[in-house]
């Protein structure tokens, strides 16, 4: 078994090393040009974007698509061929200056990995896109004007000497200078007003045409959307500003439109699943893990002898023999778990309700607190008053932004609405709200099979990277 564990560890290390580090080719493959036409079919400008799904979903700036009559997405499919796709706007937010468009008929191809954390100050970043004025791409514009009247899209054309330069993605390196909470109006002009969001200030060059393109970290993951730069040396006081990609994730734009991008958190490595070497490594690791589980089962069955079948948990330990109720519930280490039964099923002998939730037990307390520290060492104290909770039918939301939550938890790893605490009779439960970095109780991640977990005294709660403990308010 020790040799098997060592082999799995070596394969995982190889998998990780194959997916880390800057890769210009990976970056270029996900960047597209967004061409804007008036309602009369006249070319009026362009921006950049990046592909986030294999169904042709593209992220760009709202100011790129705002007021457009027709949008065309141009993608370099191979060194010899380009694809031209008509696109429609699915989501746009003027306050965030972010938009999602769908390139109709675009299928497959490389897609971006989105990062939920921002590297520290001084780390290298890369701004990608298609900078330049219309004069720089006049041959491509002439071609697009010709095919605008085509009856069917997408259109695939051979890349020649007249269009080659126009499809060459520009990548400019720089360094992170600051991540701040501001609005686009205040960040660019110093005046007040506007929707607040997290903005990344960096030194990677952004000029006209870069708008909507991705800002990559050193792992070739998208951390921001390039929005404002210096058209000349006097504009924006040489600031290069990119909206943090988590703002788009927190706005639930992907979820609301059934888009499933690759999202990489603090403990997740960005994977290019199009790489056959990575696919092979994944298959090998899964096969070896399966062999390990079979060996554990075989050994424990042999040891058990005539005592009957042995159940093996995911961590290799043998739990107690399950009762009928145990088999119907998802086991969690954080306490009672809400959820695996059908909506009309009660838990036998428990007095459970219609949703299959176990009845809460009184804890004898009226006020509780979640208290602990964030990754930066800052202390956080969230008071939970049963009176306030009992007055709300939906519980209280915990989140990074006061306007999106009832209880503010100011940390960059926490989503705008991150989690919810609610009363079930006299006990408190915690539920995740589709956060970027997850919610955990005693190491058990919420979501999927485990929808909510009852909080008990001294329960360890982790929201994003903020570690808290559930305690009675003294």
């Amino acid at each position: 078994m020790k040799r098997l564990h060592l082999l799995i560890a070596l394969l995982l290390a190889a998998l990780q090393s194959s997916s880390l580090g800057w890769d210009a080719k990976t970056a270029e493959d996900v960047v597209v040009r967004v061409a804007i036409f008036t309602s009369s079919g006249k070319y009026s400008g362009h921006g950049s974007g990046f592909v986030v799904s294999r169904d042709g979903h593209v992220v760009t700036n709202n100011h790129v698509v705002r007021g457009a009559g027709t949008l065309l997405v141009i993608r370099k499919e191979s060194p010899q061929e380009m694809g031209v796709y008509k696109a429609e706007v699915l989501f746009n937010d003027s306050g965030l200056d972010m938009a999602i468009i769908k390139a109709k008929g675009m299928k497959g191809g490389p897609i971006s990995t989105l990062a939920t954390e921002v590297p520290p100050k001084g780390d290298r970043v890369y701004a990608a896109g298609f900078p330049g004025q219309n004069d720089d791409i006049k041959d491509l514009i002439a071609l697009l004007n010709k095919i605008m009247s085509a009856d069917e899209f997408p259109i695939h054309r051979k890349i020649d000497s007249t269009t080659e330069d126009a499809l060459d993605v520009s990548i400019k390196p720089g360094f992170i200078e600051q991540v701040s909470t501001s609005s686009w109006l205040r960040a660019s002009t110093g005046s007040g007003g506007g929707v607040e969001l997290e903005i990344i200030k960096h030194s990677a060059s952004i000029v006209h045409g870069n708008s909507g393109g991705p800002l990559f970290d050193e792992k070739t993951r998208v951390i921001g959307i390039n929005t404002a730069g210096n058209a000349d040396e006097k504009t924006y006081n040489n600031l290069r500003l990119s909206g943090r990609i988590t703002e788009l994730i927190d706005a639930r734009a992907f979820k609301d439109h059934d888009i499933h991008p690759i999202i990489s958190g603090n403990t997740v490595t960005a994977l290019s699943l199009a790489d056959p070497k990575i696919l092979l490594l994944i298959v090998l690791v899964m096969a070896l893990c399966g062999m390990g589980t079979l060996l554990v089962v075989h050994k424990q069955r042999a040891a058990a002898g005539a005592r009957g079948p042995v159940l093996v948990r995911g961590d290799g330990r043998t739990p107690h023999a399950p009762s009928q109720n145990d088999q119907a519930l998802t086991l969690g280490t954080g306490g009672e778990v809400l959820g695996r039964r059908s909506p009309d099923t009660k838990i036998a002998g428990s007095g459970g309700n219609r949703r299959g939730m176990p009845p809460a037990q009184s804890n004898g307390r009226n006020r509780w607190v979640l208290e602990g520290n964030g990754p930066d060492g800052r202390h956080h104290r969230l008071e939970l008053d049963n009176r306030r909770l009992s007055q709300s039918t939906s519980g209280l939301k915990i989140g990074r932004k006061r306007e999106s939550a009832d209880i503010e938890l100011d940390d960059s790893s926490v989503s705008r609405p991150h989690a919810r605490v609610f009363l079930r009779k006299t006990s408190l439960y915690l539920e995740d709200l589709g956060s970027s970095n997850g919610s955990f109780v005693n190491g058990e991640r919420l979501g999927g099979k485990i929808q909510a977990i009852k909080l008990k005294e001294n329960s360890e709660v982790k929201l994003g990277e903020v570690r808290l403990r559930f305690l009675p308010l003294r």
Side-chain angles (χ1 to χ4, degrees), residues 30-32 48-52 57-59 112 114 212-214 222 224-225 245:
V30 301
V31 181
V32 297
S48 303
F50 52 98
V51 184
V52 294
H57 295 102
V58 174
V59 171
S112 311
L114 313 182
V222 178
I225 305 170
I245 191 65

Side-chain angles (χ1 to χ4, degrees), residues 49-279:
F50 52 98
V51 184
V52 294
S53 85
R54 291 186 172 85
D55 292 320
H57 295 102
V58 174
V59 171
T60 186
N61 279 139
N62 175 68
H63 75 256
V64 170
V65 303
R66 183 179 57 232
T70 301
L71 293 170
L72 294 183
V73 171
I74 303 95
R75 184 176 196 178
K76 190 174 181 180
E77 308 282 8
S78 71
Q80 296 80 32
E81 185 180 74
M82 67 176 175
V84 182
Y85 304 84
K86 274 194 174 179
E88 62 178 339
V89 178
L90 298 183
F91 168 88
N92 62 307
D93 188 306
S94 58
L96 298 177
D97 201 356
M98 298 178 184
I100 301 174
I101 61 178
K102 180 173 174 59
K104 301 175 184 178
M106 183 184 289
K107 293 291 183 182
I111 64 174
S112 311
T113 295
L114 313 182
T116 57
E117 81 274 15
V118 173
K121 294 178 183 179
D123 270 24
R124 187 175 288 275
V125 291
Y126 302 84
F130 293 96
Q133 303 296 329
N134 293 344
D135 289 344
D136 301 327
I137 56 169
K138 57 185 178 181
D139 291 322
L140 178 62
I141 294 173
L143 174 62
L144 296 177
N145 280 324
K146 286 181 182 178
I147 66 177
M148 263 294 294
S149 58
D151 294 329
E152 294 186 4
F153 281 84
I155 294 174
H156 296 274
R157 291 292 179 92
K158 183 180 179 181
I159 298 174
D160 57 27
S161 58
T162 64
T163 55
E164 184 177 9
D165 288 344
L167 296 173
D168 187 21
V169 178
S170 169
I171 298 178
K172 297 290 186 180
F175 299 93
I176 290 183
E177 297 181 9
Q178 184 182 27
V179 179
S180 61
T181 300
S182 185
S183 67
W184 289 119
L185 185 63
R186 185 160 69 250
S188 58
T189 67
S191 59
V195 175
E196 288 200 343
L197 72 157
E198 285 191 288
I199 296 176
I200 304 169
K201 176 184 173 184
H202 56 89
S203 59
S205 177
I206 299 176
V207 296
H208 177 81
N210 273 119
S211 291
L215 182 71
F216 292 103
D217 64 7
E218 289 187 297
K219 298 177 183 178
T220 324
R221 303 177 304 174
V222 178
I223 60 173
I225 305 170
N226 300 327
T227 304
N230 51 326
D232 56 55
E233 290 304 311
K234 297 180 181 179
T235 305
Y236 295 117
N237 297 318
N238 287 330
L239 295 184
R240 286 85 164 191
L241 306 174
S242 302
R244 190 174 170 188
I245 191 65
T246 49
E247 296 291 343
L248 191 59
I249 298 171
D250 289 348
R252 302 176 69 88
F254 296 125
K255 188 170 184 179
D256 290 346
H257 293 280
D258 198 27
I259 303 170
H260 305 283
I262 299 175
I263 299 177
S264 171
N266 292 333
T267 59
V268 180
T269 300
L271 300 180
S272 174
L273 295 180
D275 188 336
K277 293 184 295 184
I278 292 180
L279 284 173

Side-chain angles (χ1 to χ4, degrees), residues 159-465:
I159 298 174
D160 57 27
S161 58
T162 64
T163 55
E164 184 177 9
D165 288 344
L167 296 173
D168 187 21
V169 178
S170 169
I171 298 178
K172 297 290 186 180
F175 299 93
I176 290 183
E177 297 181 9
Q178 184 182 27
V179 179
S180 61
T181 300
S182 185
S183 67
W184 289 119
L185 185 63
R186 185 160 69 250
S188 58
T189 67
S191 59
V195 175
E196 288 200 343
L197 72 157
E198 285 191 288
I199 296 176
I200 304 169
K201 176 184 173 184
H202 56 89
S203 59
S205 177
I206 299 176
V207 296
H208 177 81
N210 273 119
S211 291
L215 182 71
F216 292 103
D217 64 7
E218 289 187 297
K219 298 177 183 178
T220 324
R221 303 177 304 174
V222 178
I223 60 173
I225 305 170
N226 300 327
T227 304
N230 51 326
D232 56 55
E233 290 304 311
K234 297 180 181 179
T235 305
Y236 295 117
N237 297 318
N238 287 330
L239 295 184
R240 286 85 164 191
L241 306 174
S242 302
R244 190 174 170 188
I245 191 65
T246 49
E247 296 291 343
L248 191 59
I249 298 171
D250 289 348
R252 302 176 69 88
F254 296 125
K255 188 170 184 179
D256 290 346
H257 293 280
D258 198 27
I259 303 170
H260 305 283
I262 299 175
I263 299 177
S264 171
N266 292 333
T267 59
V268 180
T269 300
L271 300 180
S272 174
L273 295 180
D275 188 336
K277 293 184 295 184
I278 292 180
L279 284 173
L280 178 59
L281 283 169
I282 291 174
V283 171
L284 288 172
V285 169
M286 291 176 65
L288 289 170
C289 288
M291 289 172 58
T293 301
L294 288 174
L295 286 172
V296 171
V297 172
H298 177 73
K299 287 185 176 181
Q300 292 189 345
R301 281 184 182 274
R307 289 179 296 171
V310 176
L311 296 180
V312 180
R313 300 190 339 179
D315 56 9
R317 291 181 291 164
T318 306
H320 62 81
S323 67
Q324 184 178 0
N325 290 341
D326 290 331
Q327 294 170 359
L329 291 173
T330 301
L331 291 174
T333 59
E336 296 181 40
V337 179
L338 303 188
R340 281 290 297 278
R341 290 178 169 268
S342 65
D344 297 318
T345 304
K346 289 186 177 182
I347 298 175
S350 68
N353 57 36
R354 187 175 181 273
R355 293 177 60 194
M357 297 177 179
Q361 302 299 319
S362 173
N363 52 41
R365 304 278 185 182
N366 290 322
R367 300 179 72 190
W368 295 84
V369 65
L370 283 168
E371 190 167 13
N373 297 318
D376 56 1
R378 281 192 301 161
H379 186 72
H380 298 279
R381 181 182 174 89
L382 312 180
E383 293 190 10
L384 309 173
D385 192 332
N386 274 18
R387 182 179 301 175
R388 187 180 175 197
L389 282 160
S390 63
Q391 292 172 350
S392 173
T393 57
S394 59
L396 300 177
K397 292 181 181 179
I398 301 173
R400 189 179 76 246
K401 297 291 186 181
R402 173 67 67 180
E403 60 266 26
S404 305
D406 304 297
I407 303 172
E408 184 176 5
L409 179 55
D410 184 19
D411 187 86
S412 61
S413 67
V414 175
S415 297
R416 285 171 176 258
H418 191 103
R420 178 175 75 103
V421 288
F422 62 93
L423 273 175
R424 185 67 57 197
K425 292 189 177 179
T426 56
S427 292
L428 280 178
Y429 287 81
L430 182 72
E431 176 187 19
D432 186 73
L433 296 178
S435 63
S436 300
N437 294 321
S439 303
F440 303 79
V441 176
N442 293 335
E444 195 85 64
R445 182 162 188 160
L446 305 184
K449 295 179 180 179
I450 301 177
Q451 295 299 319
I453 290 184
K454 177 182 173 181
L455 297 176
K456 297 183 176 180
E457 186 169 349
N458 287 317
S459 289
E460 293 181 0
V461 176
K462 182 167 171 275
L463 302 178
E465 293 301 312

